[in-house]
Amino acid sequence: MFRTSLRRTLVGLAAVAAMATAALAGSGSAAVAAPSDSPKAAAVDSARIKAAAYKEAARIKAAGGVTTLATYPSVWTLSKRDTTYDGGCDATTSVSYYPANDQAVMRTTITDPYWFAACRVNARLWINTNGGSFPSAVNYAMACAVTDASCASTQTWTGNYYGATPQLTAYVDSVNAALVSMGLPPTYTRAQAVTGISITHSKA
Protein backbone atom coordinates (compact mmCIF):
# COMPACT_ATOMS: atom_id res chain seq x y z
CA MET A 1 0.00 0.00 0.00
CA PHE A 2 2.85 2.36 0.83
CA ARG A 3 4.49 1.54 -2.51
CA THR A 4 1.23 2.22 -4.34
CA SER A 5 0.83 5.56 -2.57
CA LEU A 6 4.43 6.50 -3.29
CA ARG A 7 4.03 5.54 -6.94
CA ARG A 8 0.88 7.70 -7.25
CA THR A 9 2.71 10.64 -5.68
CA LEU A 10 5.66 10.30 -8.05
CA VAL A 11 3.35 9.97 -11.05
CA GLY A 12 1.45 13.06 -9.90
CA LEU A 13 4.66 15.06 -9.51
CA ALA A 14 5.82 13.97 -12.96
CA ALA A 15 2.50 15.07 -14.44
CA VAL A 16 2.73 18.47 -12.76
CA ALA A 17 6.29 18.90 -14.04
CA ALA A 18 5.20 17.95 -17.55
CA MET A 19 2.32 20.45 -17.45
CA ALA A 20 4.65 23.18 -16.20
CA THR A 21 7.12 22.45 -18.99
CA ALA A 22 4.33 22.55 -21.56
CA ALA A 23 3.02 25.82 -20.15
CA LEU A 24 6.46 27.40 -20.39
CA ALA A 25 6.89 26.12 -23.92
CA GLY A 26 3.59 27.70 -24.93
CA SER A 27 4.00 30.92 -23.01
CA GLY A 28 4.87 34.32 -24.38
CA SER A 29 8.47 33.86 -23.29
CA ALA A 30 9.08 31.48 -26.17
CA ALA A 31 9.99 32.53 -29.67
CA VAL A 32 7.74 31.87 -32.63
CA ALA A 33 9.28 29.26 -34.90
CA ALA A 34 10.40 30.78 -38.17
CA PRO A 35 9.11 29.30 -41.41
CA SER A 36 11.54 27.04 -43.24
CA ASP A 37 12.25 29.67 -45.89
CA SER A 38 12.76 32.48 -43.37
CA PRO A 39 16.14 33.07 -41.72
CA LYS A 40 15.02 34.28 -38.30
CA ALA A 41 12.38 33.93 -35.62
CA ALA A 42 10.54 36.78 -33.94
CA ALA A 43 9.91 36.95 -30.22
CA VAL A 44 6.24 37.15 -29.26
CA ASP A 45 6.70 39.02 -25.99
CA SER A 46 7.31 42.74 -25.78
CA ALA A 47 10.60 42.37 -23.90
CA ARG A 48 12.23 40.46 -26.74
CA ILE A 49 10.72 42.75 -29.35
CA LYS A 50 12.21 45.73 -27.51
CA ALA A 51 15.60 44.01 -27.29
CA ALA A 52 15.58 43.33 -31.04
CA ALA A 53 14.42 46.89 -31.68
CA TYR A 54 17.22 48.39 -29.60
CA LYS A 55 19.76 46.35 -31.57
CA GLU A 56 18.26 47.63 -34.82
CA ALA A 57 18.31 51.22 -33.54
CA ALA A 58 21.98 50.83 -32.59
CA ARG A 59 22.72 49.56 -36.10
CA ILE A 60 20.90 52.55 -37.61
CA LYS A 61 22.78 54.99 -35.41
CA ALA A 62 26.12 53.44 -36.33
CA ALA A 63 25.17 53.75 -40.01
CA GLY A 64 24.43 57.47 -39.61
CA GLY A 65 20.66 57.54 -39.07
CA VAL A 66 17.43 56.45 -40.73
CA THR A 67 18.11 58.54 -43.84
CA THR A 68 21.01 56.24 -44.71
CA LEU A 69 18.76 53.19 -44.99
CA ALA A 70 18.13 51.66 -48.39
CA THR A 71 14.81 52.34 -50.07
CA TYR A 72 12.60 49.27 -49.87
CA PRO A 73 9.60 48.45 -52.10
CA SER A 74 6.19 49.90 -51.30
CA VAL A 75 4.76 46.45 -52.07
CA TRP A 76 6.26 42.98 -51.65
CA THR A 77 4.97 40.13 -53.82
CA LEU A 78 5.52 36.40 -53.52
CA SER A 79 3.99 33.15 -54.74
CA LYS A 80 4.56 29.71 -53.23
CA ARG A 81 3.31 26.26 -54.21
CA ASP A 82 3.21 23.14 -52.01
CA THR A 83 2.29 19.88 -53.75
CA THR A 84 2.86 17.50 -50.85
CA TYR A 85 1.45 19.36 -47.85
CA ASP A 86 -1.02 17.18 -45.93
CA GLY A 87 -0.15 14.19 -48.08
CA GLY A 88 -1.06 15.03 -51.66
CA CYS A 89 -3.02 18.28 -51.40
CA ASP A 90 -1.80 20.97 -53.81
CA ALA A 91 -1.86 24.58 -52.61
CA THR A 92 -0.53 27.72 -54.27
CA THR A 93 -0.65 31.09 -52.51
CA SER A 94 0.15 34.48 -53.99
CA VAL A 95 0.57 37.52 -51.75
CA SER A 96 0.93 41.26 -52.21
CA TYR A 97 1.98 42.95 -48.97
CA TYR A 98 1.88 46.73 -48.46
CA PRO A 99 3.98 47.74 -45.43
CA ALA A 100 2.72 51.33 -45.24
CA ASN A 101 -0.74 50.29 -44.04
CA ASP A 102 0.07 46.69 -43.06
CA GLN A 103 -2.20 45.32 -45.78
CA ALA A 104 -1.98 41.80 -47.23
CA VAL A 105 -3.90 40.72 -50.33
CA MET A 106 -3.80 36.92 -50.52
CA ARG A 107 -5.03 34.41 -53.10
CA THR A 108 -4.86 30.67 -52.43
CA THR A 109 -5.76 27.99 -54.98
CA ILE A 110 -6.11 24.45 -53.65
CA THR A 111 -6.55 21.24 -55.63
CA ASP A 112 -7.80 18.04 -54.01
CA PRO A 113 -6.61 14.76 -55.60
CA TYR A 114 -8.50 12.54 -53.15
CA TRP A 115 -11.71 10.69 -54.00
CA PHE A 116 -13.29 10.90 -50.56
CA ALA A 117 -11.33 13.43 -48.46
CA ALA A 118 -11.40 17.22 -48.56
CA CYS A 119 -8.24 19.36 -48.60
CA ARG A 120 -8.00 22.33 -46.25
CA VAL A 121 -5.12 24.74 -45.80
CA ASN A 122 -4.09 27.74 -43.74
CA ALA A 123 -1.74 29.91 -45.80
CA ARG A 124 0.30 32.00 -43.35
CA LEU A 125 2.15 35.16 -44.34
CA TRP A 126 5.36 36.02 -42.48
CA ILE A 127 6.97 39.47 -42.48
CA ASN A 128 10.75 39.33 -42.31
CA THR A 129 12.83 42.05 -40.64
CA ASN A 130 16.29 42.43 -39.13
CA GLY A 131 14.61 41.78 -35.78
CA GLY A 132 12.93 38.52 -36.78
CA SER A 133 10.05 37.08 -38.80
CA PHE A 134 6.63 38.20 -37.62
CA PRO A 135 3.43 36.17 -38.19
CA SER A 136 0.87 38.00 -40.29
CA ALA A 137 -2.39 37.21 -42.09
CA VAL A 138 -3.78 33.68 -42.52
CA ASN A 139 -5.78 32.86 -45.65
CA TYR A 140 -7.96 29.73 -45.30
CA ALA A 141 -8.83 27.63 -48.34
CA MET A 142 -10.73 24.36 -48.91
CA ALA A 143 -11.48 22.06 -51.83
CA CYS A 144 -13.88 19.11 -51.90
CA ALA A 145 -13.02 15.51 -52.72
CA VAL A 146 -13.17 14.48 -56.38
CA THR A 147 -16.38 12.47 -55.82
CA ASP A 148 -18.06 15.17 -53.73
CA ALA A 149 -20.72 16.88 -55.86
CA SER A 150 -21.30 19.67 -53.33
CA CYS A 151 -18.27 21.72 -54.44
CA ALA A 152 -15.30 21.68 -56.81
CA SER A 153 -12.06 19.82 -56.20
CA THR A 154 -10.12 22.93 -57.26
CA GLN A 155 -11.05 26.20 -55.61
CA THR A 156 -9.57 29.65 -55.13
CA TRP A 157 -10.00 31.67 -51.95
CA THR A 158 -9.03 35.31 -51.62
CA GLY A 159 -8.60 37.60 -48.64
CA ASN A 160 -7.78 41.26 -48.01
CA TYR A 161 -6.29 41.78 -44.56
CA TYR A 162 -5.42 45.00 -42.72
CA GLY A 163 -3.41 45.38 -39.52
CA ALA A 164 -2.60 41.67 -39.47
CA THR A 165 0.95 42.11 -38.16
CA PRO A 166 0.67 43.85 -34.76
CA GLN A 167 4.09 42.58 -33.67
CA LEU A 168 5.68 44.34 -36.65
CA THR A 169 4.02 47.59 -35.63
CA ALA A 170 5.20 47.08 -32.04
CA TYR A 171 8.72 46.41 -33.31
CA VAL A 172 8.76 49.61 -35.41
CA ASP A 173 7.41 51.63 -32.47
CA SER A 174 10.12 50.18 -30.24
CA VAL A 175 12.84 51.02 -32.77
CA ASN A 176 11.61 54.62 -32.87
CA ALA A 177 11.57 54.80 -29.07
CA ALA A 178 15.14 53.52 -29.00
CA LEU A 179 16.18 56.03 -31.65
CA VAL A 180 14.77 58.87 -29.52
CA SER A 181 16.73 57.61 -26.52
CA MET A 182 19.85 57.80 -28.71
CA GLY A 183 19.13 61.36 -29.76
CA LEU A 184 17.82 60.53 -33.23
CA PRO A 185 14.42 61.38 -34.78
CA PRO A 186 11.70 58.66 -34.64
CA THR A 187 11.31 58.34 -38.40
CA TYR A 188 11.69 54.56 -38.81
CA THR A 189 8.80 53.06 -40.80
CA ARG A 190 7.34 49.63 -41.53
CA ALA A 191 8.53 49.98 -45.12
CA GLN A 192 12.10 50.42 -43.87
CA ALA A 193 11.74 47.54 -41.42
CA VAL A 194 10.57 44.91 -43.90
CA THR A 195 13.35 42.94 -45.60
CA GLY A 196 11.15 40.31 -47.24
CA ILE A 197 8.09 38.09 -46.88
CA SER A 198 7.56 34.34 -46.60
CA ILE A 199 4.59 31.95 -46.91
CA THR A 200 3.92 28.69 -45.11
CA HIS A 201 1.12 26.18 -45.69
CA SER A 202 -0.30 24.06 -42.91
CA LYS A 203 -3.26 21.71 -42.49
CA ALA A 204 -6.40 23.58 -41.40
Side-chain angles (χ1 to χ4, degrees), residues 150-173:
S150 65
C151 69
S153 59
T154 295
Q155 296 198 56
T156 298
W157 297 60
T158 59
N160 192 1
Y161 308 93
Y162 288 90
T165 329
Q167 292 175 14
L168 171 63
T169 300
Y171 171 72
V172 171
D173 290 344

Side-chain angles (χ1 to χ4, degrees), residues 78-163:
L78 182 66
S79 182
K80 180 179 179 179
R81 182 183 182 188
D82 280 324
T83 58
T84 57
Y85 108 90
D86 193 22
C89 296
D90 187 332
T92 300
T93 298
S94 298
V95 177
S96 294
Y97 177 69
Y98 302 85
N101 56 351
D102 194 20
Q103 177 189 8
V105 179
M106 304 180 69
R107 177 185 175 91
T108 301
T109 298
I110 185 168
T111 297
D112 188 341
Y114 301 126
W115 283 23
F116 302 108
C119 281
R120 297 177 177 84
V121 65
N122 281 327
R124 163 78 75 176
L125 172 64
W126 294 78
I127 309 301
N128 304 326
T129 73
N130 286 329
S133 300
F134 297 95
S136 187
V138 175
N139 195 45
Y140 168 83
M142 185 272 287
C144 287
V146 175
T147 57
D148 188 342
S150 65
C151 69
S153 59
T154 295
Q155 296 198 56
T156 298
W157 297 60
T158 59
N160 192 1
Y161 308 93
Y162 288 90

Side-chain angles (χ1 to χ4, degrees), residues 181-204:
S181 73
M182 297 174 185
L184 297 173
T187 54
Y188 190 67
T189 66
R190 277 191 295 261
Q192 291 169 324
V194 177
T195 58
I197 61 175
S198 305
I199 301 168
T200 55
H201 293 126
S202 61
K203 183 177 178 180

